[in-house]
Structure formats: C-alpha cells, structure tokens
Amino acid sequence: MLTFIEQAERASAERDDWAAFETFVHGVVKADVHSLTVHLAGTFTPTEEMSADAVRADELATALFERARPQMRAEAVPADLTMLLEMCAAVRVPDPARTTSLRRRYLAVLLDGLRAGMSLPGPPPTWAELTWRWMPRPDDPGDDSDG
C-alpha cells in the first residue's frame, strides 16, 4: 500500500492532468502492487494502520482520476481504475522482463480505452464487487463464525 501511495504522491506533482494520471498508473503497474494485493486479499485481517493507508491511497488515486476526468469517457468512474490495474496484474508469463513488456502494452490499450470517445457499455463495478475479496474466506483460520 505504501508503494501505491508513493506512486500517487509522486504523480500528483505532474502539472498536466492526464500525464499525472498516466504517470501514476504506469508507476503502480511497474511496481506490481496489485498482484500482491489480489494474491493476499481476504487472507488476513487488516490492521487499523492498513485501513488508514487504504483510505489515503483511495483519496490520492481518486484525486488523480478526477484531474484526468475531463479527458475520459463520460461513464468512467474511479472504480474502473481498480479493475484496470487488476487486469494488468493478471498479465504474467514465465519471463519477468516479458511480463513487464506485456503489461506496458496492455496498459496502453486500457488507458486509450478510458480516453473520451465512444460510450462505455454496461454499469461500472459496484463497491461490493470491488471489495468482496477482502471478506474473510470460509476456510480462513481467523474466521471464528460457527458456519
């Protein structure tokens, strides 16, 4: 989470709104932040500090998204960014250098898809769809429910 925040803070200094957004997204994809997040989600109970970091990360990412919004499709919402980052994290081949190259390739396609133009089909992801993975898993030893 701290790397995500660092990338957002660094990108916020960029003067051009779209460049700030792109710098942020490229930095997060390059740091491979979402691969770890997706892998660990729901496997532990986040601490208060982790929750505070998550709120800060969301605030920074949303601010960068909102700065770039005038250049985006009207239907684009900050939740779309979460899914786009997860899509990039899913790109993985045995060669790490090739993984990086492919992620950059598909990130370019995804960023172009956010730009203003044709309408986006369907509704954006809901909060429940974005956060379901953080719910305790039934086989989680930390789950003290009775079933």
Side-chain angles (χ1 to χ4, degrees):
M1 190 63 62
L2 296 179
T3 300
F4 186 97
I5 291 170
E6 178 184 310
Q7 293 299 321
E9 288 173 340
R10 181 177 300 131
S12 294
E14 183 77 43
R15 288 185 177 183
D16 178 84
D17 295 335
W18 184 261
F21 180 70
E22 273 193 328
T23 297
F24 165 63
V25 176
H26 279 279
V28 169
V29 170
K30 183 178 180 183
D32 202 14
V33 172
H34 270 68
S35 291
L36 184 60
T37 300
V38 170
H39 179 72
L40 294 177
T43 63
F44 62 93
T45 303
T47 65
E48 286 184 33
E49 182 180 355
M50 294 167 107
S51 294
D53 286 343
V55 168
R56 177 74 176 136
D58 182 62
E59 290 170 351
L60 290 166
T62 299
L64 287 163
F65 185 93
E66 292 301 335
R67 281 180 58 187
R69 181 184 290 283
Q71 297 178 53
M72 290 185 196
R73 296 172 184 251
E75 302 86 0
V77 297
D80 291 323
L81 177 58
T82 300
M83 294 301 207
L84 294 177
L85 290 171
E86 288 188 19
M87 287 179 213
C88 287
V91 175
R92 184 174 307 280
V93 295
D95 178 359
R98 184 65 177 138
T99 294
T100 298
S101 175
L102 288 169
R103 284 180 179 174
R104 288 178 57 209
R105 175 184 179 85
Y106 295 114
L107 179 57
V109 171
L110 294 170
L111 286 171
D112 281 350
L114 273 180
R115 288 229 182 217
M118 296 173 42
S119 296
L120 292 172
T126 65
W127 181 249
E129 290 168 332
L130 292 175
T131 61
W132 69 268
R133 73 181 125 282
W134 291 103
M135 299 300 122
R137 297 179 184 163
D139 59 345
D140 183 1
D143 181 13
D144 58 359
S145 66
D146 290 336

